[in-house]
Amino acid sequence: MEHFSFIASLAALAVSCLTIWGKVTHPVVDNREQIQTLKDLHREETQALEARIQKLESKIQHDWDSFAKQEDVNSMLLKSQWAIMSHLLDGNHTAQLTACRDEAEKLLFKKGGSV
């Protein structure tokens, strides 16, 4: 009978140890799954933000290109106004008027639609 109680107590001890071991290791597995899920979500959000940043940078570059083209148009308009004023004042400067006309033709008719 003494052997039986000793074996029963060893079995109870083994069951208790296994129960404790299961409780100790089970949350670690759950935490790893949660951490992996969070990492996956973070990766997806990061990729979405990187795509949005790239799209916005492309739009900003397009805006800067438009500003540069607009500066060319403004420069051409100022030159032509100067040439017209100079011609009206003294009747000369026909070469400058011709150059402004050619520049306006080149800029407005070839590039004007993309400004």
Side-chain angles (χ1 to χ4, degrees), residues 27-75:
V28 171
V29 173
D30 288 344
N31 287 340
R32 288 181 184 168
E33 290 173 6
Q34 290 175 352
I35 289 171
Q36 186 60 42
T37 302
L38 291 174
K39 283 182 180 179
D40 292 342
L41 289 174
H42 180 262
R43 184 176 24 261
E44 290 172 6
E45 289 175 355
T46 302
Q47 289 172 347
L49 288 174
E50 286 174 352
R52 184 169 183 221
I53 287 170
Q54 187 175 17
K55 182 179 177 182
L56 291 174
E57 285 178 347
S58 172
K59 288 183 178 184
I60 288 171
Q61 185 59 46
H62 181 266
D63 289 346
W64 281 113
D65 293 343
S66 293
F67 288 145
K69 290 175 186 176
Q70 188 62 46
E71 286 178 356
D72 293 341
V73 169
N74 290 344
S75 174

Side-chain angles (χ1 to χ4, degrees), residues 95-111:
Q96 286 87 352
L97 284 172
T98 304
C100 285
R101 182 198 64 203
D102 294 342
E103 186 179 351
E105 181 181 348
K106 177 183 170 188
L107 187 64
L108 293 177
F109 295 126
K110 293 182 181 176
K111 294 182 182 179

Side-chain angles (χ1 to χ4, degrees), residues 82-94 96-97:
W82 174 83
I84 289 171
M85 285 190 302
S86 296
H87 179 72
L88 289 174
L89 288 174
D90 61 11
N92 293 326
H93 298 90
T94 55
Q96 286 87 352
L97 284 172

